[in-house]
Amino acid sequence: MPATNGHQASQPSKEIETRLFINGEYVESSNGKTFSLLSPKTHEVVAKVFEASEEDVDRAVAAAKAAQPAWAALTVEQRSACFKKLATLVREHNDELAKLEALSMGKPVSTYIDGHAFSWMFDYYSESGYNVQGTSSLNTPGFVNLTFRQPYGVVGVIIPWNVPLLFFAKKAAPALAVGNTVVLKSSEKAPLASARIGHFIKEAGFPPGVINVVTGFGNVSGSVISHHMDVRALSFTGSTRTGRLIQQASSKSNLKPVFLELGGKSPAIVFEDADLEAAAEATQYSVQTNSGQTCMATSRVYVQDTIAEKFIALFKEKFGPVKVGDPMLQETNHGPQADKVQYENVLKYLEIGKKDGKLILGGNPDSHEDGYFVPPTIFTDTPEDSVIMREEVFGPVVNINIFKTEEEVLAKANNTEYGLYAAVFTKNIDRAMRFAKGLEAGTVGVNCTSPTTGKDTPFGGYKGSGLGREGLHHSLDHFLETNGFPGPCRYCAHIGAECGVAARPKQRPYYHVSEEEYRCSMQILRHFLQKEDLNLEALRAIAKDLKIDTANPQQTQRRDSKATDDSPGSEEAVQNDSEPDTEEIGDLHEQLGCLMQDSLGEYRYVGAYSEIAFNAAVCTMKDQPSPEVEDSKIIVPPKESFPPQKPERSKLLYEVTSPTHPYLPPREYCDYYVARFFEEVHCIYWLYPIEQFHARLDDTYVMGGGTSTSSWLCSLYAIFALGAASNEDSQNSLIRDSISPETRRIPDMKTSGNYLALAKALVPAVHDEADIDSIRALAILSLALLTFRFRITSYLYMGTAMQIAFSLGLQHDKSPTNQSPVTKQLNRRIWWTLYIMDQEIASRCGSPCVSDERSLRIQTPLPSEQVLNPGTNTPLGCLSVSTSLNRLKREIIQTIYPERSSDSRTISFAKVTSYVSSLQQWQAEMPSHLKWGVPVAPTHRRSIGILHLNYWNAMMLLSQPFLLYLVIKDSTLNHPKRTWFEKLSEICVDAAKNAVIVLKTMSKDQSISSLITFDCVCTLKVIMILALGLARAESQELRRDIEACVSILENMEQVGFCRSVVQELPMRLAQLGLKSESNDADVKLDFGQQATVATLWPEFDPSNGYADHTAAFQGSGDLGDSFLMDMDLYMNMDMEMSSMQGVGDSLQPNLDFFGGLFPNLENA
């Protein structure tokens, strides 16, 4: 046990326990890390204390979770025996514990009563179990209604360093008494006594895992406890700043209830009729005890003017004489401050007090002692707005001010953000009651002050001093859940009538086996699968590997067709009520063009599943074949100046700044760019912990970027490129609202194109670094390039990012043994984000994914959000749900849009309907907080909206080939086949209608964005589907939906891809037979009187096949320049919605559009 005796730092003392107490045993930290504990008296190392890592806290929580059911099942008497034994052991070792506290934080042994207080508390709660009572009610006819008071499960306890054992008992004892288990974190300033308690816990007979004690720093172990999903309640005593962080952690994780006792700036008011001798004695003791290191110390004393001089003399007489010295000596009653940080903090306030007030006692460190000693100090006549009057000093420092009237002093006493304790000294009972009601504090003492409290009264703070109340009776309520239980009444039982009886909630309420069956099953699985994380995804993967024979696809349909679903218009599952007809895949895809010329003149392959093909087919169906077209696989580009001239690569060199002084925009512009990125892009594609990102960004600006890696700078430039797009419009309201007028006078001189050039120039160095930051850089750059219509380059960079991930072993969850749990979870989250991005960008291009599970075994589990919270913009569980949908979409692509000639050439209708059912089941099983229509935090609206757009997009991807085929070959389909095609077409149109609902809501909430292409492309895809619906049958509803989609596009921020689409939208609508009339007020579409195939496309003969109308899928000569670019743009959805193999992406982004903006960009 590495520790020292306080005098020889190099000689550990075996009497001092410094290890972690987890699951009933003392263990060293998982990474072997320790920190030095210094004596505040001698400044020497007294112990090397093991510092808990994230993994250690996880083990402690797991042990507590496993022990809780059995502990809660014990009788009150059985738990009581452990409590009483522990109380006895601690009482017997009070002197030993006093010496440990004197060594660690300098509390004099002569004043130490904490062990006795600990024992008294455990003795009391040992017999309090029977005080926990539920209620009953007969007010509902036919029922006896009961409420149960039940333990939460695992309770987190974080205690301060000033009186650790007192808070250990105040928090742990009531939590344990009602059946919870505890993970307690002691302070790194005073860990020794809490660590020693573990020996007594074990000797007292507590089962392993019931009480776990870890030591460490707040930003590691404290943060993990606060964020942990298995910690169901948390009690904390400490600073207000840390309390806010803990409350934020609760809101970001599982909304665990938190009970906070925080800082104080307690006032004491002394009236002229008070017993001055008693008032002076009580108030000086409140500030002097524990060297002023108590949260409720009366550090502000207000004295009535008529007795001020006399009171101050008495106070000074009693406050000054203290025995400063070695806290290990009995004669010492005033020890040092806890450590150097506390000492220097108090000295800082002393200087403020000397400047603002009048020093009448103390004020200078004791020169006769070597330790961190601060003598009792008094300031008078200090202004109320002085920092020392408003902030907690946490030292033996008091400010005494004078008042004249009750109104005056009440206002001064309440003029603080704290409200923990207050005191009033007077013999006038009416005045005492007025002040007891008027003082804004959780506890008000009359003719007494802190630390005096009533044991059976609640204690806690107003305002910034905390949440909740502690006390002998009140603390039990903190750690109990209340749940209602409508039970059977005797009358119903007597007459044999059915009575609605609710089953008692189980520990795991959503599985359909008993508690014992579940525990036994998990024990068996852990025995045989010791190295596996037994989460849901891992179990699914194991089951899949076993190749369990599934039933007929019909049986995979949704088990409960009546399952509630909050999404708009969830469509009915298609029932396989006819003979199992099939359709040749070749018939669906064979005539579609599959090569598309990019902006550099190269022909690029476009797979059948790219929506580019589908949109091109819809928009050109009515046109006659072009006489120029000889090869049905080629889509001819527009005649007007296409392709644009190749950008000059040489100019790129002039754009790159010095590596030692990289260009950075003004900080206010940077903050605007970054804020938009996290709100609109990162909420979908998670790559950085937001705190880590901003810390690195601050360092970059402090250091001028000279020490930044190429990958980090590349990421920043890609982010700036996205944000700077709106910078090009001087009237942009986002800029006006976010950038101050002073900053706008010196604008960011770089455009989006400039930033892309800077980012691309760094790519070779990014490749050389080939680390996690390189993955982030290439992924973000891919998104930016896609937004600005560089589709092929985006695809290439995304592929490189995936290959770097392979080289790091992310697909197999490989990591160094010394890698922290947080880093491991971060890498898992990045891997699955890449997996999704790879699918989406590859689908956009109609090209193969790099992460193809048909040839790649992926073993990476989904990340644990108990360890790594995704942040404020991404709801919990969103990545897991998105990944499962993404995998389902990949299966759909592989089945409906096969790439290899050896693949099955027929599609079973039963297979298609099984996919419909699978998608519906995915939607039904979505966590409730992600469902559509459920109130969500404003910061989560975009993530949830995109998640639902992806769902409806997947449904359209599955069914759109059948809708397009039905429109084209309506007369050639026989009756059974036509029935199936009509059903699937209805599903496709319904999915588009539901997507419109989501898009309208996102537009209204202003959560729709142009910084990624998905929003715009999805809206365009919906227009294509609705247009096909109109081709089938006239519908005013479909017309209104198309009009709404056009309005959404025109109201989006007109940058990048979105701007090009809106410019070409009128021509596209005209090709569809729809006329767009835009004005500032609204958007109106002029459709003919009839919107059937015959009237919209009079030249089109539905009896003919694709072979006679190849031009319909190859693009027409009069197609607009940027629209065929937008067969790269225009079809930029999630993009698995194409129905025709190879309907081409005839162009790469139109670089004419970039003109002078991006002179240095090259497409590949």
Side-chain angles (χ1 to χ4, degrees):
M1 292 175 284
T4 67
N5 59 18
H7 299 286
Q8 297 178 1
S10 60
Q11 298 295 324
S13 172
K14 295 184 179 179
E15 288 76 20
I16 298 180
E17 180 60 71
T18 63
R19 295 173 296 175
L20 315 175
F21 186 71
I22 297 176
N23 202 27
E25 299 292 338
Y26 278 101
V27 295
E28 298 180 355
S29 56
S30 59
N31 55 14
K33 191 174 181 180
T34 63
F35 63 91
S36 297
L37 182 67
L38 303 181
S39 165
K41 169 63 173 66
T42 66
H43 304 194
E44 294 177 340
V45 176
V46 298
K48 290 283 189 178
V49 183
F50 283 98
E51 178 187 343
S53 66
E54 296 93 336
E55 184 178 346
D56 296 322
V57 177
D58 266 344
R59 286 193 294 131
V61 173
K65 184 178 180 181
Q68 194 273 330
W71 174 250
L74 295 178
T75 65
V76 172
E77 290 79 9
Q78 288 171 318
R79 291 198 292 266
S80 175
C82 299
F83 274 55
K84 290 182 179 294
K85 179 64 174 175
L86 178 61
T88 300
L89 290 169
V90 172
R91 190 180 292 111
E92 292 172 353
H93 291 81
N94 182 74
D95 292 346
E96 175 193 348
L97 295 168
K99 293 176 181 178
L100 292 174
E101 294 285 27
L103 280 175
S104 61
M105 56 80 61
K107 186 170 187 176
V109 296
S110 63
T111 66
Y112 190 83
I113 60 169
D114 300 23
H116 294 292
F118 179 103
S119 300
W120 186 92
M121 198 74 66
F122 267 87
D123 272 336
Y124 173 81
Y125 282 112
S126 69
E127 299 178 355
S128 65
Y130 284 116
N131 294 337
V132 178
Q133 301 288 326
T135 61
S136 62
S137 167
L138 298 175
N139 292 328
T140 304
F143 288 88
V144 176
N145 298 319
L146 308 174
T147 61
F148 292 152
R149 306 300 309 284
Q150 295 180 301
Y152 279 102
V154 180
V155 170
V157 172
I158 303 177
I159 61 175
W161 49 265
N162 54 345
V163 274
L165 287 196
L166 176 63
F167 285 102
F168 192 129
K170 281 181 65 176
K171 298 176 185 298
L176 294 165
V178 296
N180 297 285
T181 51
V182 168
V183 176
L184 180 142
K185 178 202 168 296
S186 61
S187 171
E188 71 279 4
K189 296 180 188 291
L192 301 183
S194 299
R196 180 73 173 105
I197 293 294
H199 288 281
F200 308 141
I201 292 170
K202 191 171 183 179
E203 188 175 346
F206 281 89
V210 171
I211 307 177
N212 304 270
V213 182
V214 298
T215 297
F217 294 88
N219 61 348
V220 181
S221 51
S223 177
V224 174
I225 290 174
S226 304
H227 285 89
H228 210 292
M229 298 294 290
D230 285 336
V231 174
R232 307 309 304 180
L234 192 150
S235 183
F236 167 77
T237 294
S239 71
T240 301
R241 181 186 65 83
T242 304
R244 289 192 178 100
L245 295 175
I246 288 174
Q247 193 169 24
Q248 290 173 11
S250 168
S251 68
K252 293 177 182 178
S253 53
N254 57 356
L255 289 176
K256 61 177 69 66
V258 293
F259 311 103
L260 307 174
E261 182 193 327
L262 307 177
K265 193 67 179 174
S266 302
I269 302 169
V270 183
F271 283 96
E272 59 187 358
D273 63 342
D275 182 336
L276 298 188
E277 185 81 21
E281 177 63 32
T283 51
Q284 72 83 24
Y285 178 77
S286 175
V287 184
Q288 190 275 328
T289 186
N290 205 19
S291 301
Q293 297 171 131
T294 58
C295 52
M296 54 181 173
T298 50
S299 55
R300 293 183 297 150
V301 178
Y302 295 97
V303 188
Q304 199 157 20
D305 56 349
T306 55
I307 48 96
E309 185 176 349
K310 181 178 181 181
F311 175 85
I312 292 172
L314 281 171
F315 188 96
K316 185 176 180 181
E317 176 186 329
K318 296 175 182 294
F319 190 45
V322 294
K323 178 60 177 176
V324 177
D326 187 346
M328 300 290 282
L329 301 178
Q330 285 293 331
E331 57 266 28
T332 301
N333 67 357
H334 186 96
Q337 305 309 116
D339 65 1
K340 184 179 181 180
V341 173
Q342 292 301 125
Y343 177 69
E344 292 179 345
N345 194 52
V346 174
L347 295 186
K348 179 191 72 174
Y349 285 110
L350 291 182
E351 293 305 313
I352 295 172
K354 292 174 185 177
K355 178 182 177 182
D356 294 347
K358 179 181 178 183
L359 176 67
I360 65 170
L361 180 69
N364 296 302
D366 197 322
S367 59
H368 300 293
E369 295 289 342
D370 296 329
Y372 299 127
F373 291 96
V374 176
T377 299
I378 304 174
F379 293 102
T380 60
D381 302 328
T382 309
E384 290 296 317
D385 61 354
S386 174
V387 172
I388 197 173
M389 289 291 289
R390 306 185 70 82
E391 296 182 3
E392 188 175 29
V393 177
F394 227 62
V397 182
V398 64
N399 294 86
I400 302 178
N401 280 356
I402 298 171
F403 72 92
K404 292 184 178 180
T405 66
E406 286 189 19
E407 295 77 8
E408 172 196 355
V409 73
L410 185 62
K412 289 179 176 179
N414 288 336
N415 185 25
T416 175
E417 281 305 307
Y418 295 105
L420 189 59
Y421 198 107
V424 57
F425 290 85
T426 180
K427 294 177 182 176
N428 185 325
I429 187 65
D430 292 333
R431 176 189 287 152
M433 294 307 296
R434 284 197 300 275
F435 273 76
K437 293 171 61 178
L439 287 167
E440 297 172 353
T443 299
V444 177
V446 176
N447 293 324
C448 64
T449 188
S450 64
T452 302
T453 59
K455 291 182 178 178
D456 58 348
T457 56
F459 182 81
Y462 276 32
K463 299 183 286 190
S465 287
L467 295 172
R469 294 294 182 268
E470 291 181 321
L472 295 183
H473 305 315
H474 295 77
S475 291
L476 290 175
D477 289 335
H478 282 187
F479 306 114
L480 289 166
E481 284 273 31
T482 301
N483 62 300
F485 176 57
C489 60
R490 290 186 177 181
Y491 174 76
C492 292
H494 177 70
I495 66 173
E498 183 178 354
C499 188
V501 182
R504 176 177 176 174
K506 298 178 180 180
Q507 178 191 355
R508 297 176 62 84
Y510 296 109
Y511 62 78
H512 303 288
V513 294
S514 69
E515 296 281 310
E516 184 177 4
E517 286 174 315
Y518 169 77
R519 288 196 297 269
C520 291
S521 300
M522 292 305 294
Q523 185 175 354
I524 293 168
L525 285 171
R526 290 192 184 101
H527 175 76
F528 288 104
L529 301 169
Q530 297 179 8
K531 296 183 179 180
E532 296 285 349
D533 291 333
L534 296 180
N535 53 39
L536 179 58
E537 290 300 320
L539 292 173
R540 284 175 174 167
I542 293 166
K544 187 175 181 180
D545 287 343
L546 293 175
K547 296 182 179 179
I548 299 175
D549 187 26
T550 57
N552 187 293
Q554 298 176 42
Q555 299 175 10
T556 65
Q557 295 188 15
R558 196 166 163 184
R559 295 185 183 90
D560 184 4
S561 61
K562 298 181 181 180
T564 302
D565 187 85
D566 295 316
S567 299
S570 177
E571 67 277 348
E572 295 293 328
V574 178
Q575 299 299 319
N576 190 7
D577 52 6
S578 64
E579 294 182 1
D581 201 357
T582 60
E583 178 61 32
E584 292 293 330
I585 293 178
D587 288 349
L588 292 177
H589 302 311
E590 65 181 358
Q591 297 299 324
L592 297 180
C594 62
L595 290 178
M596 183 175 181
Q597 194 178 40
D598 71 7
S599 59
L600 303 181
E602 295 291 338
Y603 286 98
R604 305 289 184 180
Y605 173 77
V606 179
Y609 48 88
S610 172
E611 82 291 342
I612 292 171
F614 179 78
N615 288 9
V618 173
C619 290
T620 58
M621 277 197 303
K622 71 168 188 171
D623 297 321
Q624 286 292 326
S626 169
E628 307 170 61
V629 178
E630 297 181 0
D631 186 347
S632 63
K633 297 300 181 185
I634 304 299
I635 297 181
V636 176
K639 296 179 180 179
E640 299 178 6
S641 64
F642 185 86
Q645 285 194 344
K646 181 177 179 179
E648 296 182 17
R649 185 181 184 89
S650 59
K651 292 183 181 180
L652 181 64
L653 298 176
Y654 300 110
E655 296 292 331
V656 183
T657 55
S658 167
T660 58
H661 296 89
Y663 174 80
L664 294 173
R667 184 58 193 265
E668 199 168 345
Y669 276 94
C670 167
D671 291 341
Y672 165 70
Y673 300 156
V674 168
R676 289 203 63 189
F677 172 74
F678 275 94
E679 291 168 5
E680 300 176 39
V681 181
H682 195 265
C683 64
I684 313 300
Y685 307 113
W686 192 100
L687 292 166
Y688 280 102
I690 187 169
E691 297 87 355
Q692 180 192 98
F693 182 92
H694 282 288
R696 290 183 70 177
L697 187 62
D698 291 341
D699 290 343
T700 302
Y701 270 81
V702 169
M703 303 301 294
T707 60
S708 300
T709 64
S710 297
S711 296
W712 170 245
L713 287 174
C714 184
S715 295
L716 289 183
Y717 288 145
I719 292 170
F720 296 163
L722 289 169
S726 57
N727 217 7
E728 298 164 14
D729 181 3
S730 60
Q731 302 303 314
N732 192 302
S733 61
L734 292 172
I735 292 287
R736 292 200 307 271
D737 295 342
S738 304
I739 307 296
S740 65
E742 294 78 11
T743 303
R744 291 205 303 272
R745 293 192 187 101
I746 309 175
D748 182 9
M749 302 307 296
K750 300 289 185 184
T751 65
S752 296
N754 300 142
Y755 282 123
L756 282 179
L758 291 173
K760 289 186 69 177
L762 292 168
V763 168
V766 172
H767 289 169
D768 290 340
E769 290 171 3
D771 56 8
I772 289 293
D773 264 358
S774 303
I775 294 173
R776 290 165 165 154
L778 292 170
I780 298 171
L781 184 54
S782 294
L783 290 173
L785 288 166
L786 198 61
T787 297
F788 294 108
R789 308 179 303 176
F790 289 87
R791 180 177 51 86
I792 302 302
T793 313
S794 171
Y795 174 66
L796 296 176
Y797 285 173
M798 190 67 240
T800 305
M802 290 300 300
Q803 290 167 341
I804 295 174
F806 293 158
S807 74
L808 296 174
L810 298 191
Q811 78 278 20
H812 295 309
D813 200 33
K814 298 299 182 185
S815 58
T817 56
N818 62 349
Q819 188 178 78
S820 72
V822 171
T823 302
K824 188 169 186 176
Q825 298 303 326
L826 186 148
N827 289 347
R828 289 177 178 178
R829 180 170 283 276
I830 289 175
W831 163 256
W832 287 114
T833 299
L834 286 180
Y835 181 88
I836 293 172
M837 291 178 66
D838 178 38
Q839 168 68 36
E840 295 188 357
I841 293 177
S843 295
R844 172 75 188 94
C845 298
S847 301
C849 295
V850 177
S851 55
D852 191 339
E853 292 184 82
R854 290 176 292 182
S855 57
L856 173 71
R857 184 177 183 185
I858 296 176
Q859 298 172 309
T860 304
L862 286 159
S864 167
E865 291 175 335
Q866 300 169 355
V867 177
L868 180 66
N869 191 280
T872 56
N873 294 310
T874 306
L876 293 172
C878 191
L879 179 63
S880 175
V881 173
S882 297
T883 302
S884 62
L885 178 61
N886 189 275
R887 283 181 146 167
L888 187 54
K889 286 164 69 175
R890 289 192 181 207
E891 290 184 24
I892 292 171
I893 290 173
Q894 291 161 11
T895 302
I896 308 297
Y897 309 92
E899 287 286 340
R900 298 175 299 179
S901 59
S902 59
D903 288 335
S904 171
R905 305 307 298 164
T906 61
I907 300 177
S908 165
F909 286 127
K911 186 67 174 176
V912 175
T913 55
S914 74
Y915 280 132
V916 173
S917 296
S918 296
L919 286 169
Q920 291 173 333
Q921 186 173 355
W922 175 90
Q923 185 191 42
E925 293 175 352
M926 180 186 296
S928 59
H929 69 283
L930 298 178
K931 286 186 177 291
W932 187 256
V934 175
V936 298
T939 55
H940 290 171
R941 288 172 181 165
R942 175 157 174 76
S943 294
I944 293 175
I946 294 294
L947 181 65
H948 285 271
L949 285 180
N950 265 307
Y951 167 71
W952 296 117
N953 190 21
M955 193 66 77
M956 289 187 285
L957 167 69
L958 175 63
S959 54
Q960 70 187 26
F962 302 93
L963 173 60
L964 183 58
Y965 193 97
L966 184 65
V967 170
I968 295 171
K969 287 194 173 184
D970 180 72
S971 63
T972 65
L973 294 172
N974 58 35
H975 175 68
K977 188 176 293 187
R978 183 197 305 276
T979 301
W980 273 103
F981 273 61
E982 288 174 346
K983 289 182 178 181
L984 292 169
S985 298
E986 289 173 6
I987 287 177
C988 190
V989 174
D990 286 343
K993 291 178 182 178
N994 284 291
V996 172
I997 294 174
V998 178
L999 288 166
K1000 285 180 179 178
T1001 304
M1002 292 180 68
S1003 182
K1004 180 181 178 182
D1005 293 340
Q1006 296 184 333
S1007 59
I1008 203 163
S1009 174
S1010 299
L1011 294 195
I1012 61 174
T1013 57
F1014 179 83
D1015 307 55
C1016 185
V1017 170
C1018 188
T1019 309
L1020 288 167
K1021 173 57 64 180
V1022 169
I1023 291 175
M1024 297 297 106
I1025 297 293
L1026 296 176
L1028 286 176
L1030 276 176
R1032 290 278 301 151
E1034 167 66 19
S1035 169
Q1036 291 296 322
E1037 180 187 3
L1038 296 184
R1039 293 186 180 195
R1040 287 192 297 270
D1041 284 345
I1042 293 177
E1043 184 175 334
C1045 289
V1046 173
S1047 178
I1048 288 169
L1049 286 171
E1050 295 195 342
N1051 289 325
M1052 290 172 68
E1053 187 182 12
Q1054 299 301 299
V1055 298
F1057 174 62
C1058 183
R1059 178 166 59 183
S1060 298
V1061 169
V1062 171
Q1063 289 173 349
E1064 300 187 32
L1065 188 59
M1067 181 183 67
R1068 293 300 97 206
L1069 294 175
Q1071 273 193 295
L1072 292 169
L1074 314 176
K1075 182 181 178 183
S1076 175
E1077 298 177 356
S1078 301
N1079 54 50
D1080 293 337
D1082 55 13
V1083 176
K1084 296 182 179 180
L1085 297 176
D1086 180 16
F1087 300 82
Q1089 295 299 314
Q1090 279 294 96
T1092 62
V1093 173
T1095 57
L1096 276 179
W1097 301 315
E1099 311 260 348
F1100 179 69
D1101 180 4
S1103 64
N1104 291 332
Y1106 295 137
D1108 296 329
H1109 293 276
T1110 54
F1113 315 114
Q1114 297 164 7
S1116 176
D1118 61 356
L1119 288 183
D1121 187 37
S1122 73
F1123 179 79
L1124 267 189
M1125 151 201 81
D1126 280 345
M1127 308 277 84
D1128 173 24
L1129 287 172
Y1130 197 70
M1131 329 308 166
N1132 187 17
M1133 269 181 69
D1134 190 281
M1135 260 61 350
E1136 296 156 337
M1137 315 256 336
S1138 134
S1139 74
M1140 310 316 223
Q1141 177 167 348
V1143 172
D1145 166 2
S1146 142
L1147 293 66
Q1148 176 59 11
N1150 176 9
L1151 295 185
D1152 282 347
F1153 165 73
F1154 296 110
L1157 296 179
F1158 302 160
N1160 302 313
L1161 294 181
E1162 182 175 294
N1163 183 47

